[in-house]
Amino acid sequence: MDQVMKLKYVIIVLIALLSFSSCNDWLDVVPQGQVQGEDLLTDEKGYNSALDGIYYKLTSETLYGMELSFGMMDVLAQYWDLSTKTKNPYYKQSLFDYEDATSKTRFKAIWSMMYQGITQANYILESLEGNRDKIKYAELIEGEAYALRAFIHMELASMYGPVIRTEADLDKECIAYRTEYNVKAQEFESMRSVLTKAKEDLTKAEELLKNDPIVENKRYGNGNSSMLDYHAVLERRGDRMNLYAVKGLLMRVELALMNKAGARQLAVNLIDECKSTELFTLTDKTDKLYDINMGEEMLLGFYKNDLWEVARDTFGMEKGNAEANFCITPNQYDIYLNELYGRAPDGSGTDNRLRVWFQRPSSGADYYNFQKLYETSHPGTIYLPYYPEVAILKLSEVYYVACETSIGVDNGKALEYLNEVRDSRNLAKLAGPYGNEELMEYLMREMRKDFIGEGRMWPIYKRLYRDFYVRQGVIIAPTEDKYVFPIPDEEYEYSPNTNPKGDK
């Protein structure tokens, strides 16, 4: 990322912070933020920068640049062993102590920054109403803004909303779905309402993005013909909210709404479309994972220029084991080897994810680097091996959803979808036939292997209300309190029907 773009991002972040540092002090600073916003959103560059500012915020360490990917979320999913690191800043959170002061600060920061992103998306959408005819690629900008607004609300609902185990649970109170750029207090809505509004926004986005340049230029392509007329929305559409990311998010919405048939149809359609166009493909098991992070599978990834630096410090890579990091010790690696990736009867040491993602440092030090986030030395060939991006939605997830929603309907087909992913990871195909629960267990095992470092397993555990897997013989039973992040106390005044000390 060049210095000019960094400066633009900083400007946007400052504007957003002025516009929505929290519900309570927002009232005092919005007028100043609005003036700056109006000055900025007068031309194409302004809109490009404003939109990029949302991505910059989403890739901060508070959000998907660490906490919501390989940081806090994977601590909760029990991927990193902190059992002996009692002074680690995540230790109490690893025990699901959500009342710990450090945990509450983390939850509050996530809540605040996510709503800042929503606020910025709302301002872009409202200002476009009077400028659409003057802005080049207005449909791309508008489509991305609608989709980003939906995505952020969906993620907030997944984290801070109720556990959904029955149809009736969808009517439990969740969060506020903000669609206007204003300072009006807004009551919290039901999970059903939030997800329905997200679906409406995604449907609008799908229509606006129907001519997405990603179709012609592939996920890594650049649609700009001249740097003198550069538009960020035309470059590397796989790292932006593109048409196929929207299709995948619609699949997630239907799953969250307990519409398995609808989710299955969307998943199958997306798989078929990807096979016919080859825009996104499952990783080739013979390519030695030059693209370590499986970028060719990412329907949606977020670019983070300092991903390696943040990951290096978080895991102690080049430093070794310390109280403050997530260093993968030999004992932890043995768990991955014997009880996750190599677990009998479905696991094997041939799994490319095990072989490539976990490596001893060249110094021979007594720990393992988490190479999924590692800065590789391979040159930038067709594989584009190290373009630092955080995985948000991968094609493998679409296959897993197709598998899950086929269980009990067509178990043979469900196994086919699961085996396609297993084959791409260099694993033998499972023979079957299997009953519903057995097949579901194999699906859970594959997802645990695949989503490490991505922050996806905790939301999946919550949606399915499944045990947290630590290692063979050690599981953590699901309880609703483990699955609902505490909403910052000061936000409750905006929801008259909510008692901050009672059920959410």
Side-chain angles (χ1 to χ4, degrees), residues 316-333:
M317 291 186 276
E318 297 183 356
K319 297 180 180 179
N321 196 9
E323 186 77 15
N325 64 37
F326 298 163
C327 183
I328 298 173
T329 64
N331 285 341
Q332 182 66 36
Y333 175 77

Side-chain angles (χ1 to χ4, degrees), residues 165-185:
R165 301 178 67 187
T166 68
E167 183 74 22
D169 291 332
L170 286 169
D171 295 316
K172 289 183 178 178
E173 192 171 75
C174 187
I175 61 169
Y177 199 102
R178 302 196 67 92
T179 59
E180 297 179 359
Y181 183 79
N182 59 38
V183 296
K184 295 178 182 178

Side-chain angles (χ1 to χ4, degrees), residues 456-471:
R456 282 301 299 154
M457 274 314 298
W458 184 89
I460 290 170
Y461 282 135
K462 177 176 180 176
R463 181 177 61 78
L464 296 173
Y465 205 67
R466 304 282 293 200
D467 296 333
F468 292 93
Y469 180 84
V470 182
R471 60 182 183 274

Side-chain angles (χ1 to χ4, degrees), residues 197-241:
K197 288 181 178 179
K199 181 177 176 179
E200 291 169 357
D201 276 353
L202 290 170
T203 301
K204 291 176 185 175
E206 186 176 25
E207 175 61 25
L208 288 161
L209 296 172
K210 63 185 178 183
N211 296 318
D212 194 326
I214 197 171
V215 176
E216 296 295 328
N217 300 321
K218 311 294 184 184
R219 78 174 307 272
Y220 292 122
N222 183 356
N224 287 289
S225 57
S226 168
M227 290 304 293
L228 296 177
D229 188 31
Y230 176 81
H231 294 271
V233 294
L234 297 184
E235 187 170 357
R236 299 191 79 107
R237 295 291 301 164
D239 289 330
R240 305 182 69 89
M241 193 61 77

